[in-house]
Amino acid sequence: MSILNTPGSCQPPIHTQVLIIGAGVTGAGLVRDLTLRGIGCILVEQKDLTAGASGANHGLLHSGARYIKSDPASAVECRKENHILKKLAPHCIDTCGGLFVAVAGDDEKYIADFPQLCAQSGISARAVDLADAREMEPALSDRLIAAYAVDDAAIDPFRLTLDNIAQAVDKGARFFRFTRVTGLTVKQSEITAVHLVDTRTGREYTVRAEIVVNAAGAWADQVAAQAGISIPMIYSKGSLLVTQSRITRRVVNRLRLATDADILVPGGTVSILGTTSVRTETPDNIYPEIEEIDHIIEEGAMMIPVLETTRYIRAYCGVRPLVGDANSGDDRKVSRGYALIDHTRDHVDNFITITGGKLTTYRFMAEKAANLVCQRLGIDPACQTCTEPLPASTDGQWTEPGLAPHQWMKQNDPTDLLLCECEMVSRHTVDQIIRNMGRLNITPTLEAIGLRSRVGKGPCQGAFCSQRLTAHLYDRGVFKKNEGIVNLHQFLSERWRGQHPLLWDVPLIQAQLQEAMHCGLFGLELNDPKGQPDKPGAGGGPSGRVNA
Amino acid sequence: MDNLPEISCDLLVIGSGITGMAAALFAANLGIDTVQVGRAGELGFASGFLDLLGVHPVEDGRIWDRPFDGIGALVAEHPRHPYAFLDKKDIQSALSGFVSFLAAHGLPYYTEPGKNLAMITPTGTLKTTYAVPATVQNGVRALAEKASCLVVDFHGLKGFSGRQIVETLDKTWPNLTTRRISFPDTSGELLPEHMALSLESPECRAQLAGEIAPHIHSAEYVALPAILGMYRPMAVFEDLQKQLNRPVFEIPTMPPAIGGLRIKAAFEKALPRLFVRTHYQQKITAVDKQGRNGFRFDVGRDHLRRVITAKGAILASGRFIGGGLTTDRKSVRETLFNLPVFQPVTRSEWHQKSFLDPRGHPINRFGITTDDQWRPLNNNRHPAIPGLFAAGSILAHQDWVRQKCGAGLGITTAFAAVNAFQRFISG
């Protein structure tokens, strides 16, 4: 076996039983599952958690009804996991229920087959009288021709990921963010060393693990390639839109064979509309494109007419990591099931890849991957995550809409100023978040705080709170020198990825205010801390946050 | 309808941002019978600094020390920029007319003839501008000298951190220190407007000076956020300097900021005395171009509803923030006369994919095109409506945010549009 891309290393290697690459929801679920089985783990992530598809989806806990025709096996997995997660992680879930609705012109054969197909997969689908459906969800079109109630729910993928990692870390697992794999040394059919770099400090080090698990999602083939292994992958970009207010109480699905823009999912105080399926060459540098956004709005409005005129505050996109045949015409026909690959088949015996799948089935995927890890380690501890409740951590709580305002009102402290006025996130809340991050050895950047709270997610999309928060972080001694400028650049650029396709009417005015302040007065565009112009398309990874 | 109160005038100025205020002033100076209608909120977003031209070309981020040289280079490359229709003499007359009006109404400005100034912002960056309020002048000098300076900030004032300014300017201006104090007799959140009004009282000033004095030590200058008075800033400023025995200066705050509100207050008080009939916080609801007297506008709602007839109008309604332009998913529209707007075909050409893209966003260069007499053009490149003129940020082919030319563009084009109206009416 060849030795690939080995960097020089002066640090002594770190030893662990299992190294997991990728802190999406799958990696997070796996680190928790293995830790609860008593197995020592290190989790590494090249960016921050949920940087890929885990942070750029609908936040939908599927009933399974969406996949009854295209992928019945996935439908059954969804149904089972839906019940397990509602029982074991209720704090991450809004059990709002869901509807499947068809409008005039939709495929009548599919509508007629729907109850039977649901029954075949054991999925509960109750026919709803059309007048009742419109009473349940007044935003529905008056051109409704069929409606069924299902057990869909909304799930917060950020909180879910944070809580999985938090419990694992509490029980001894180690988590390194902004840590990229630079090389895998393969000797005698084993990965003997994983070479890593801290992308913020440039520090290089090595981990020796008995088993290496590649949970890098859409980047899984890039990781595998470092061990000389090729995984055939299709990158299917999906774009989504966040409305300013919640349009429906329940999840609403279009009752037809899965296609574009047919699901609206509530996310606390907002609703999320999507998606699309667009083949891309790489999982990096992707944007929600204006044509996609307009297509989503026009399609969504056929089911819920107010989507044509409502205000949108953010767009985002992610890449579905689909393992399969790149020559297939329609990416929606490639299985949305997961791929668990034992690389013994590629003559690397201690290497496993787990990718693909869905947010709904993340725990199941983690369980299956953990079973394989245990088999390779020659041990047989039972899975705990199918029976043990997921504890709510303090790291995850601030992503919940309404919590920060509730705390602020309850404390009624006039000196506790609101730094983010749109989402009512106060100085005191930000201080708690910073303390938590300090405990976990996480540098509190504006982006990192935004990921762990609702800062910057309201209608102003960070225009005003970015400077208020920056000033506060200087006051707290968190920012030094020109770090404020660096952070404003990064934070506003990241927010812009999701703003730019939605800039018309009021959001455009908001963007103009943002530019007048940050460029007109502060001259941020003339003060690039990198010392080079901010090139279009710079920065990588999927844009956006589902809980925008 | 005919029972509505009717106001008749020669000129209606539409807008109450810096351009509308300047147009009303210049029209009054020429003795033109003028009415002004506007929402009056726009100046709350202004810093109070008057930019003329700071940057060109924007993609290179080139900053000009001499704005008139910059304008020369700009119009040579961009012959459709509004500055290309102005000569240097008009620009200078307009600026000096505007600044001397403000000085006469208690808001003196500091300029260095023919030169741009550099001043610090609350993010610790440097801003290039043409004229600053006299309350900021010492800051320009202190920065140039890199003099030792105490930056005072306040418990309860969000978005303004002395530490941020000191840390960020560490390399440029190492002689800065900072101190956070309490504003007299307050707790909780502070707003610049309330602080400014409080400081108009001598007792409040004395208390503030008492809070600051023990922290000055050897600092040669004292800097504060822009809160030194609303209606009488020079009195507040001079008194505080005297009590602290140091040169004092203001650093602008995040919007809504006091610098713009002072300009608004000065105009709102002075224009009626110059016989401009002002109707603020009013909106034009309909316009008829075929009125007896040129134009007929329906203004206001309910008991404030009235009709204004005018021989001509200056459209100074601003862009998207001011409401002069509006957008839907497909296009940009001018809101009052439905004038053609210079714009590309699809929304995908409106913005860059990077917020801070050095080229700026194309949408900022959309707008109304005019001839050299400031008359908006129709699709056949002829004046669209007799008696209608346009000025300020609604004009196409400029990017005032990136070029740092907002106030200058507004003031100078207002001056030129008023002169064009004068020629039209005396026709």
Side-chain angles (χ1 to χ4, degrees), chain A residues 265-421:
Chain A
V265 181
T269 55
V270 303
S271 289
I272 295 161
L273 175 65
T275 65
T276 50
S277 179
V278 179
R279 188 84 66 93
T280 64
E281 289 297 310
T282 75
D284 294 304
N285 291 324
I286 54 164
Y287 291 88
E289 301 290 348
I290 284 171
E291 310 79 68
E292 280 181 274
I293 295 311
D294 287 0
H295 174 59
I296 291 173
I297 292 172
E298 281 154 19
E299 278 290 315
M302 290 166 70
M303 188 166 68
I304 296 169
V306 73
L307 292 172
E308 177 68 43
T309 49
T310 196
R311 178 171 169 186
Y312 294 93
I313 54 174
R314 185 154 182 80
Y316 59 93
C317 61
V319 166
R320 303 176 186 93
L322 305 178
V323 178
D325 179 7
N327 296 321
S328 154
D330 180 357
D331 293 346
R332 280 206 168 82
K333 292 195 183 124
V334 178
S335 171
R336 298 297 169 89
Y338 64 92
L340 175 61
I341 306 168
D342 181 345
H343 291 294
T344 306
R345 72 170 196 197
D346 304 301
H347 314 293
V348 183
D349 296 342
N350 66 340
F351 189 39
I352 293 165
T353 292
I354 175 83
T355 186
K358 282 179 283 295
L359 176 62
T360 302
T361 56
Y362 90 96
R363 193 212 61 81
F364 180 69
M365 292 165 64
E367 178 182 339
K368 292 291 166 194
N371 288 346
L372 183 56
V373 169
C374 290
Q375 191 194 322
R376 290 261 144 245
L377 288 171
I379 53 175
D380 193 19
C383 175
Q384 308 284 308
T385 61
C386 51
T387 50
E388 277 295 306
L390 176 69
S393 73
T394 49
D395 306 325
Q397 65 179 349
W398 299 112
T399 63
E400 182 183 330
L403 179 64
H406 178 73
Q407 291 271 328
W408 182 74
M409 305 275 265
K410 204 169 73 182
Q411 289 181 351
N412 191 22
D413 173 0
T415 64
D416 187 22
L417 309 181
L418 288 179
L419 295 177
C420 171
E421 293 180 357

Side-chain angles (χ1 to χ4, degrees), chain A residues 222-242:
Chain A
Q222 293 179 17
V223 170
Q226 302 191 63
I229 295 167
S230 162
I231 301 175
M233 290 189 79
I234 296 169
Y235 306 116
S236 165
K237 181 178 73 162
S239 293
L240 301 102
L241 288 169
V242 185

